[in-house]
Amino acid sequence: MSAHVQAIVPPKLRPGDTVRVIAPARSRALIMEHDNTRWIDERFAAMGLTLTFGEHVDEDDQFRSSSIEHRVADLHAAFADPAVAGILTVIGGFNSNELLPHLDFDLIAANPKVFCGYSDITALQNAILARTGLVTYSGPHWSSWGMRDHFEPTGDWFRAAVMDDAPIAVEPSQAWTDDLWFLDQDARTSIPNEGWWGLRPGRASGRIVGGNLCTLNLLQGTAYLPSLDGALLFVEDDFESDAAHFARYLTSLLQLPDADGVTGLVVGRFQRASAVTREALDEIVARQPALRGKPVLAGVDFGHTSPLLTFPVGGTAEVVVGEDTTSLTITRH
């Protein structure tokens, strides 16, 4: 378990910057089976950002990935290259944690830059926080930008987090989607957003730790899990996690020795296949001693649905859950 490391906020991206795309989990070859790069390229050009790609992003082995050596090489090259201002992951997957013993954390700390992705990338982001203090960004992958319709406010939230310094007052989206958009850009279903679920009242601030819950839990017992003392937890899980699985994952995390120091909990939106109801989540929360007397907000726009909030892992946020007002503000990113 890491002690607190002094936070390092990387320089913001600016028009004219170069962003390197790497594949620390699954390969770009998987994404290119359904080529949506036209919209990706248009959006990055509109932001004035130039995309370059790691040498090994298209390698594709039996795990739809590449060797540990090559994935580490691309990550190190991206941090070491002074011409690269930011780093995006191709997509998530299952095996980012394989890289952890091989990472040069001194190199990463000496070259702070925006690093963004989500899902399986949670392992890298929290390990980087634990070992270096560098703030990274849980937000869209490179592939996420290929969504033709119903994409915003994902892009707006990304720009607010990595291209601007102002605090971000997060508002619930008007609608959301949970479909295989990359297979068929015309077959989309937009679902009206019923708003956030304020499960427990209170006000809390803290250093953001988290991302994908089952991936974060892979770091338990290693040297790569950030301290939970003073942490405002942000967690989500994908369609494979129903109420019973989410309950045991959350219980495991909140039984860690420093979990009593958690200041509050923010839960991302569940996919429809998870079938997690507000009533079930309310009971799951009620069973956690570490959450007693602390605010819990759920149904927030991050996780494996769209739109997708970009939030700083290692940055700070404040959550207020009350009868008259509920708010979520990212204060340092």
Side-chain angles (χ1 to χ4, degrees), residues 203-243:
R203 176 190 294 265
S205 59
R207 182 177 72 154
I208 298 173
V209 171
N212 181 250
L213 178 57
C214 63
T215 304
L216 182 68
N217 277 354
L218 300 177
L219 304 181
Q220 290 190 33
T222 72
Y224 308 113
L225 184 68
S227 172
L228 299 184
D229 189 29
L232 181 57
L233 280 179
F234 279 50
V235 299
E236 57 84 18
D237 234 322
D238 68 8
F239 71 95
E240 295 178 331
S241 181
D242 57 15

Coordinates of all heavy atoms in Angstrom, one line a residue, residues 203-243:
R203 N -21.3 15.8 2.4 CA -20.4 16.5 1.5 C -19.0 16.0 1.8 O -18.6 15.7 2.9 CB -20.4 18.0 2.0 CG -19.4 18.9 1.2 CD -19.3 20.3 1.9 NE -20.6 21.0 1.7 CZ -20.8 21.9 0.7 NH1 -19.9 22.1 -0.2 NH2 -22.0 22.5 0.7
A204 N -18.3 15.8 0.7 CA -16.9 15.2 0.9 C -16.0 15.7 -0.3 O -16.5 16.0 -1.4 CB -16.9 13.7 0.9
S205 N -14.8 15.9 0.0 CA -13.8 16.1 -1.0 C -12.6 15.2 -0.8 O -12.5 14.6 0.3 CB -13.3 17.6 -1.0 OG -12.8 17.9 0.3
G206 N -11.8 15.0 -1.8 CA -10.7 14.2 -1.6 C -9.9 13.9 -2.9 O -10.4 14.4 -4.0
R207 N -8.9 13.2 -2.8 CA -8.1 12.8 -4.0 C -8.8 11.6 -4.7 O -9.1 10.6 -4.1 CB -6.7 12.4 -3.6 CG -5.8 12.0 -4.7 CD -4.4 11.6 -4.2 NE -4.4 10.3 -3.5 CZ -3.3 9.6 -3.4 NH1 -2.1 10.0 -3.9 NH2 -3.3 8.4 -2.8
I208 N -9.0 11.8 -6.0 CA -9.7 10.7 -6.7 C -8.9 9.5 -6.9 O -7.7 9.6 -7.5 CB -10.2 11.3 -8.1 CG1 -11.2 12.4 -7.9 CG2 -10.9 10.1 -8.9 CD1 -11.5 13.1 -9.2
V209 N -9.4 8.4 -6.5 CA -8.8 7.1 -6.8 C -9.8 6.2 -7.4 O -11.0 6.3 -7.0 CB -8.3 6.4 -5.4 CG1 -7.8 5.0 -5.7 CG2 -7.1 7.2 -4.8
G210 N -9.5 5.4 -8.4 CA -10.5 4.5 -8.9 C -10.5 4.4 -10.4 O -9.5 4.6 -11.1
G211 N -11.7 4.1 -11.0 CA -11.9 3.8 -12.4 C -12.7 2.5 -12.4 O -13.7 2.4 -11.7
N212 N -12.3 1.6 -13.2 CA -13.0 0.3 -13.3 C -12.7 -0.6 -12.1 O -11.5 -0.8 -11.7 CB -12.5 -0.5 -14.6 CG -13.2 -1.8 -14.7 OD1 -12.6 -2.8 -14.6 ND2 -14.5 -1.8 -15.0
L213 N -13.7 -0.9 -11.3 CA -13.6 -1.5 -10.0 C -12.9 -2.9 -10.1 O -11.9 -3.1 -9.3 CB -15.0 -1.7 -9.4 CG -15.0 -2.4 -8.0 CD1 -14.2 -1.6 -7.0 CD2 -16.5 -2.5 -7.5
C214 N -13.3 -3.8 -10.9 CA -12.6 -5.1 -10.9 C -11.2 -5.0 -11.3 O -10.3 -5.8 -10.9 CB -13.4 -6.1 -11.7 SG -13.5 -5.8 -13.5
T215 N -10.8 -4.0 -12.2 CA -9.4 -3.8 -12.5 C -8.6 -3.2 -11.4 O -7.5 -3.6 -11.1 CB -9.3 -2.9 -13.8 OG1 -10.1 -3.5 -14.9 CG2 -7.9 -2.7 -14.2
L216 N -9.2 -2.2 -10.7 CA -8.6 -1.6 -9.5 C -8.3 -2.7 -8.5 O -7.2 -2.7 -7.9 CB -9.5 -0.5 -8.9 CG -9.0 0.2 -7.7 CD1 -7.8 1.1 -8.1 CD2 -10.1 1.1 -7.1
N217 N -9.2 -3.6 -8.3 CA -9.0 -4.6 -7.3 C -7.8 -5.6 -7.6 O -7.3 -6.2 -6.7 CB -10.3 -5.4 -7.1 CG -11.3 -4.8 -6.2 OD1 -10.9 -3.7 -5.6 ND2 -12.4 -5.3 -6.0
L218 N -7.4 -5.6 -8.9 CA -6.2 -6.4 -9.2 C -5.0 -5.9 -8.5 O -4.0 -6.7 -8.4 CB -6.0 -6.4 -10.7 CG -7.2 -7.0 -11.6 CD1 -6.8 -6.8 -13.1 CD2 -7.5 -8.4 -11.3
L219 N -5.0 -4.7 -8.1 CA -3.8 -4.1 -7.5 C -3.7 -4.3 -6.0 O -2.7 -4.0 -5.4 CB -3.8 -2.5 -7.8 CG -3.9 -2.1 -9.2 CD1 -3.9 -0.6 -9.3 CD2 -2.8 -2.7 -10.0
Q220 N -4.8 -4.9 -5.4 CA -4.7 -5.2 -4.0 C -3.5 -6.1 -3.6 O -3.3 -7.1 -4.3 CB -6.0 -5.9 -3.5 CG -7.2 -5.0 -3.5 CD -8.4 -5.6 -2.8 OE1 -8.3 -6.4 -1.9 NE2 -9.6 -5.3 -3.3
G221 N -2.8 -5.8 -2.6 CA -1.7 -6.6 -2.2 C -0.4 -6.3 -2.9 O 0.6 -7.0 -2.7
T222 N -0.4 -5.4 -3.9 CA 0.8 -5.1 -4.7 C 1.3 -3.7 -4.2 O 0.7 -3.1 -3.4 CB 0.4 -5.0 -6.2 OG1 -0.3 -3.8 -6.4 CG2 -0.4 -6.2 -6.7
A223 N 2.4 -3.3 -4.9 CA 3.0 -2.0 -4.6 C 2.4 -0.9 -5.5 O 2.9 0.2 -5.5 CB 4.5 -2.1 -4.8
Y224 N 1.3 -1.3 -6.1 CA 0.7 -0.4 -7.2 C -0.7 0.2 -6.8 O -1.2 0.9 -7.6 CB 0.6 -1.1 -8.5 CG 1.9 -1.8 -8.9 CD1 2.0 -3.1 -8.9 CD2 3.0 -1.0 -9.2 CE1 3.2 -3.7 -9.3 CE2 4.2 -1.6 -9.5 CZ 4.3 -3.0 -9.6 OH 5.5 -3.5 -9.9
L225 N -1.2 -0.1 -5.6 CA -2.5 0.5 -5.3 C -2.3 1.8 -4.5 O -1.6 1.8 -3.5 CB -3.3 -0.5 -4.4 CG -4.7 -0.1 -4.1 CD1 -5.6 0.0 -5.3 CD2 -5.3 -1.0 -3.0
P226 N -2.9 2.9 -4.9 CA -2.8 4.1 -4.1 C -3.4 4.0 -2.8 O -4.3 3.2 -2.6 CB -3.5 5.2 -5.0 CG -3.7 4.5 -6.3 CD -3.7 3.1 -6.1
S227 N -3.0 4.8 -1.9 CA -3.6 4.9 -0.5 C -5.1 5.3 -0.7 O -5.4 6.2 -1.4 CB -2.9 5.9 0.4 OG -3.6 6.1 1.6
L228 N -5.9 4.6 0.1 CA -7.3 5.0 0.1 C -7.6 6.0 1.2 O -8.7 6.5 1.3 CB -8.2 3.7 0.4 CG -8.1 2.6 -0.7 CD1 -9.1 1.5 -0.4 CD2 -8.3 3.2 -2.1
D229 N -6.7 6.3 2.0 CA -6.9 7.3 3.1 C -7.0 8.7 2.5 O -6.1 9.2 1.8 CB -5.7 7.3 4.1 CG -5.9 8.1 5.3 OD1 -7.1 8.2 5.7 OD2 -4.9 8.6 5.9
G230 N -8.1 9.3 2.7 CA -8.4 10.6 2.1 C -8.9 10.5 0.6 O -9.0 11.6 0.0
A231 N -9.2 9.3 0.2 CA -9.6 9.2 -1.2 C -11.1 9.3 -1.4 O -11.9 8.9 -0.6 CB -9.2 7.8 -1.7
L232 N -11.5 10.1 -2.5 CA -12.8 10.1 -2.9 C -12.9 9.0 -4.0 O -12.3 9.2 -5.1 CB -13.2 11.5 -3.4 CG -14.6 11.7 -4.0 CD1 -15.7 11.3 -2.9 CD2 -14.8 13.1 -4.4
L233 N -13.6 7.9 -3.8 CA -13.5 6.8 -4.7 C -14.5 7.0 -5.9 O -15.7 7.4 -5.7 CB -14.0 5.5 -4.0 CG -12.9 4.8 -3.2 CD1 -13.6 3.5 -2.5 CD2 -11.7 4.3 -4.0
F234 N -14.0 6.8 -7.1 CA -14.8 6.8 -8.3 C -14.7 5.3 -8.8 O -13.6 4.9 -9.2 CB -14.3 7.7 -9.4 CG -14.7 9.2 -9.2 CD1 -14.5 9.8 -8.0 CD2 -15.2 9.9 -10.3 CE1 -14.8 11.2 -7.9 CE2 -15.5 11.2 -10.2 CZ -15.3 11.9 -9.0
V235 N -15.8 4.6 -8.9 CA -15.8 3.3 -9.4 C -16.9 3.0 -10.4 O -18.0 3.6 -10.3 CB -15.8 2.2 -8.3 CG1 -14.6 2.4 -7.3 CG2 -17.1 2.3 -7.5
E236 N -16.7 2.1 -11.3 CA -17.7 1.6 -12.2 C -17.3 0.2 -12.6 O -16.2 -0.3 -12.4 CB -17.7 2.5 -13.5 CG -16.4 2.6 -14.2 CD -16.1 1.5 -15.2 OE1 -17.1 0.8 -15.6 OE2 -15.0 1.4 -15.6
D237 N -18.3 -0.5 -13.2 CA -18.0 -1.8 -13.8 C -18.8 -2.1 -15.1 O -19.8 -1.4 -15.3 CB -18.2 -3.0 -12.8 CG -16.9 -3.8 -12.7 OD1 -16.3 -4.0 -13.7 OD2 -16.6 -4.2 -11.6
D238 N -18.4 -3.1 -15.9 CA -19.1 -3.2 -17.2 C -20.2 -4.3 -17.1 O -20.6 -4.7 -16.0 CB -18.0 -3.6 -18.2 CG -17.4 -5.0 -18.0 OD1 -17.9 -5.8 -17.1 OD2 -16.5 -5.4 -18.7
F239 N -20.7 -4.7 -18.2 CA -21.9 -5.5 -18.3 C -21.7 -6.9 -17.6 O -22.7 -7.5 -17.3 CB -22.3 -5.7 -19.8 CG -21.4 -6.6 -20.6 CD1 -21.7 -7.9 -20.7 CD2 -20.3 -6.1 -21.2 CE1 -20.9 -8.8 -21.4 CE2 -19.4 -6.9 -21.9 CZ -19.7 -8.3 -22.0
E240 N -20.5 -7.3 -17.5 CA -20.3 -8.6 -16.9 C -20.5 -8.6 -15.3 O -20.5 -9.6 -14.7 CB -18.9 -9.1 -17.2 CG -18.6 -9.4 -18.7 CD -17.2 -9.8 -19.0 OE1 -16.3 -9.4 -18.2 OE2 -17.0 -10.6 -19.9
S241 N -20.6 -7.4 -14.8 CA -20.8 -7.2 -13.3 C -22.2 -6.9 -13.0 O -22.7 -5.8 -13.2 CB -19.8 -6.1 -12.8 OG -19.9 -6.0 -11.4
D242 N -22.9 -8.0 -12.4 CA -24.3 -7.8 -12.0 C -24.2 -7.3 -10.5 O -23.1 -7.0 -10.0 CB -25.1 -9.0 -12.1 CG -24.5 -10.2 -11.4 OD1 -23.6 -10.1 -10.5 OD2 -24.9 -11.4 -11.7
A243 N -25.3 -7.2 -9.8 CA -25.4 -6.7 -8.5 C -24.5 -7.5 -7.5 O -23.8 -7.0 -6.7 CB -26.8 -6.6 -8.0

